[in-house]
Amino acid sequence: MRPPEAVTVTSCLLQVILVSGSSESSDRRRQERHLQVLGDVVSGPARRMSLALHLDSSLPADLRQAVLSVEAVRRTPHLALNLSLSHEPHSSSSFSSPMLHVVLWFTPSSDLLQSLWLYWKPHNLLLFSMGSSLGTDELQNEVLNSIEKLTLIGDLSADENRDSDALGVFTVRPFSSSGVQLLGPWERESFNSWEALFPDRFPSFEGYTFHIASRIVDEPFFYLSASDPLKGDGVSEEMVQSLSTKLNFTYTTTTDSIDSNWGALINGSWDGLLGMIERREKNFTINILWITYDRNKAFDMSASFHTDGYGAFLPQPAPLPLWTSLVRPLGSTVWFAVLVSLLAAIFVTKLQEDVVASRSGIYRRRGLARVWLELYRGLANQSAPTLPRTPWQRMFVAVWLFCCLVITGAYTCNLVGIFTRPAYPSRLRSLQNLIDSDFRYPHTTYTLQ
Ligand SMILES: *[C@@H]1O[C@H](CO)[C@@H](O)[C@H](O)[C@H]1NC(C)=O
Ligand SMILES: *[C@@H]1O[C@H](CO)[C@@H](O)[C@H](O)[C@H]1NC(C)=O
Ligand SMILES: *[C@@H]1O[C@H](CO)[C@@H](O)[C@H](O)[C@H]1NC(C)=O
Ligand SMILES: *[C@@H]1O[C@H](CO)[C@@H](O)[C@H](O)[C@H]1NC(C)=O
Ligand SMILES: *[C@@H]1O[C@H](CO)[C@@H](O)[C@H](O)[C@H]1NC(C)=O
């Protein structure tokens, strides 16, 4: 049973919808068009990317739902996030494919873009304006200048009086004076490839002067030129030189960093070359620097073009002296065990003799030396010359001889093995070996380039 209040509420809603019916339907048409274009982008030019969808908090819940249920979006790995000033820092490394960040908004805000840049550092960014304001001014926002690929899609009718259905595709080249560029009205066919939708934003630096932090001490990469003592020379210098003619920029270099360091994280801030870049005194460096965890976290690196390999050279050890071959077939614990059992056996046999002699009276006891010699015969693969009298003494001798058989067998077999192959002292085979060896100095300090 429905309570009567509910009926009135429903009729009220109906009225509202009827009153604003005409603009509602054109809004809906526009939204559908937007969602269709979004689907085309995701399944077309961005089909190899995973998505991070940043949803403007002013988007109504049903639109939010509609965005997430676009077929192409559902079939692509994606994250849906609320665009807000209090982003949680994230790493996008959980996706193996490159990521396209899509900002869906009604009203553009530069604060939101700033926090987006701060926490996500996107490489590829698509701004998608769902509302009537286009926000092309935001494209020129300084925080977006370092983004590699940046495109905005939004209603053309917002800016110009065109066909109300058309969406425009815009981008901006940070180093060009031409400002925001309209790449054309959205058409599936003309923006079918990644390069068409996200053109190179940095085809030329238009004569810009970069300031390079450098240390000219690093042969063969960047060292003092023999002809001009103020100029650097080397592989890095040649590379920047060629890039500068191709990309139309000029540059200045420094002969050394302020503190003659390469760059280490000390008490939370960087020194040396990397410190100059961190403090924005210089734009980048062209010196060869090792990649470490901290550096990789704090700085963006170019692709590496040089990899160093290191080896430790140790003299080859001489073969072990030949006489040690006699000892080596058995390990030291085995030798020890053999010695202990021989002593124990001598002791037990002597005790047995004493007991038997004291019982019979006529039996002549053997001396300690004879007992030792007779037991020792077993170890030298010789048979026992005489058997003891009583059965329990014989049992003991049988066990002893059996042990001797095993030991002599093992010894001779190992000896054969050793004589057929020369033996070397153990070499370093793992990092642990090196750590355990005496090649390690107790205190080694070095500075990382
Ligand atoms: C984003 O906001 C919507 C509604 O405002 C909410 O339902 C959703 O849980 C939020 N998502 C996140 C990740 O905070
Ligand atoms: C480099 O850019 C400047 C500024 O846009 C321009 O005047 C110059 O002709 C360009 N040089 C080359 C070689 O393209
Ligand atoms: C780092 O900070 C500690 C404590 O604040 C200080 O004692 C130390 O000298 C600092 N190190 C450097 C290199 O500034
Ligand atoms: C390069 O560094 C200078 C400071 O030395 C800075 O003013 C300029 O904005 C930087 N250029 C870029 C493109 O980051
Ligand atoms: C022990 O000696 C016997 C002959 O007395 C010989 O056949 C056997 O090979 C030897 N065993 C070992 C391990 O040397």
Side-chain angles (χ1 to χ4, degrees), residues 204-424:
S204 154
F205 291 103
E206 313 275 350
Y208 189 84
T209 302
F210 284 109
H211 301 287
I212 296 176
S214 55
R215 298 190 65 196
I216 311 191
V217 292
D218 187 17
E219 227 163 321
F221 301 105
F222 201 42
Y223 54 93
L224 272 185
S225 152
S227 54
D228 181 355
L230 289 177
K231 243 184 107 261
D233 208 346
V235 180
S236 301
E237 160 74 17
E238 272 166 35
M239 285 170 74
V240 194
Q241 189 95 56
S242 333
L243 285 176
S244 74
T245 29
K246 183 152 172 30
L247 296 175
N248 191 4
F249 65 86
T250 57
Y251 58 92
T252 63
T253 55
T254 60
T255 39
D256 205 346
S257 61
I258 295 168
D259 47 12
S260 295
N261 281 335
W262 294 103
L265 190 57
I266 291 170
N267 282 353
S269 59
W270 291 86
D271 69 355
L273 291 180
L274 294 179
M276 291 159 83
I277 297 171
E278 191 202 24
R279 293 188 296 273
R280 304 201 174 277
E281 294 159 10
K282 299 285 164 185
N283 299 122
F284 55 90
T285 179
I286 56 171
N287 278 99
I288 301 283
L289 295 171
W290 295 104
I291 300 175
T292 64
Y293 177 75
D294 284 333
R295 284 177 178 177
N296 195 28
K297 223 168 108 190
F299 296 92
D300 217 359
M301 316 228 175
S302 68
S304 60
F305 65 89
H306 169 81
T307 315
D308 259 346
Y310 287 89
F313 292 84
L314 302 174
Q316 172 144 325
L320 291 175
L322 262 185
W323 67 265
T324 55
S325 309
L326 293 177
V327 186
R328 262 185 291 130
L330 300 181
S332 53
T333 43
V334 179
W335 279 124
F336 181 71
V338 168
L339 186 71
V340 169
S341 3
L342 180 61
L343 291 178
I346 291 171
F347 176 73
V348 171
T349 312
K350 191 78 183 88
L351 208 65
Q352 287 172 346
E353 301 246 322
D354 288 349
V355 170
V356 171
S358 65
R359 280 210 194 139
S360 65
I362 52 166
Y363 180 67
R364 207 166 63 82
R365 297 179 205 188
R366 289 178 294 177
L368 205 56
R370 272 203 68 183
V371 170
W372 171 66
L373 270 178
E374 282 180 16
L375 285 173
Y376 189 74
R377 291 172 78 100
L379 283 177
N381 193 21
Q382 298 297 309
S383 55
T386 52
L387 276 181
R389 297 170 155 213
T390 56
W392 48 276
Q393 275 180 296
R394 289 181 187 180
M395 268 169 67
F396 181 79
V397 170
V399 171
W400 171 250
L401 286 181
F402 182 71
C403 292
C404 291
L405 185 70
V406 172
I407 290 168
T408 48
Y411 182 82
T412 38
C413 290
N414 282 347
L415 199 61
V416 170
I418 282 171
F419 276 128
T420 44
R421 231 178 113 239
Y424 293 92

Side-chain angles (χ1 to χ4, degrees), residues 95-240:
F95 289 94
S96 53
S97 49
M99 192 171 246
L100 173 64
H101 291 259
V102 184
V103 173
L104 294 145
W105 65 20
F106 262 159
T107 39
S109 141
S110 57
D111 289 347
L112 290 176
L113 287 179
Q114 192 135 20
S115 81
L116 177 78
W117 168 251
L118 197 59
Y119 291 117
W120 285 88
K121 305 267 185 302
H123 281 290
N124 312 303
L125 180 64
L126 174 65
L127 303 176
F128 205 110
S129 166
M130 308 289 282
S132 48
S133 66
L134 193 49
T136 40
D137 296 344
E138 288 307 326
L139 276 180
Q140 285 176 303
N141 194 324
E142 211 175 307
V143 297
L144 301 183
N145 277 355
S146 325
I147 296 178
E148 214 174 303
K149 305 280 180 182
L150 175 69
T151 290
L152 181 143
I153 297 182
D155 267 315
L156 272 178
S157 58
D159 268 9
E160 300 159 44
N161 283 328
R162 294 215 198 174
D163 168 15
S164 70
D165 250 6
L167 293 181
V169 180
F170 301 86
T171 191
V172 70
R173 301 206 164 121
F175 288 89
S176 144
S177 51
S178 59
V180 176
Q181 262 185 315
L182 174 63
L183 295 177
W186 167 265
E187 260 160 42
R188 211 180 150 163
E189 294 71 33
S190 47
F191 293 102
N192 203 19
S193 69
W194 176 257
E195 289 72 26
L197 186 60
F198 292 97
D200 188 1
R201 297 178 73 210
F202 306 95
S204 154
F205 291 103
E206 313 275 350
Y208 189 84
T209 302
F210 284 109
H211 301 287
I212 296 176
S214 55
R215 298 190 65 196
I216 311 191
V217 292
D218 187 17
E219 227 163 321
F221 301 105
F222 201 42
Y223 54 93
L224 272 185
S225 152
S227 54
D228 181 355
L230 289 177
K231 243 184 107 261
D233 208 346
V235 180
S236 301
E237 160 74 17
E238 272 166 35
M239 285 170 74
V240 194

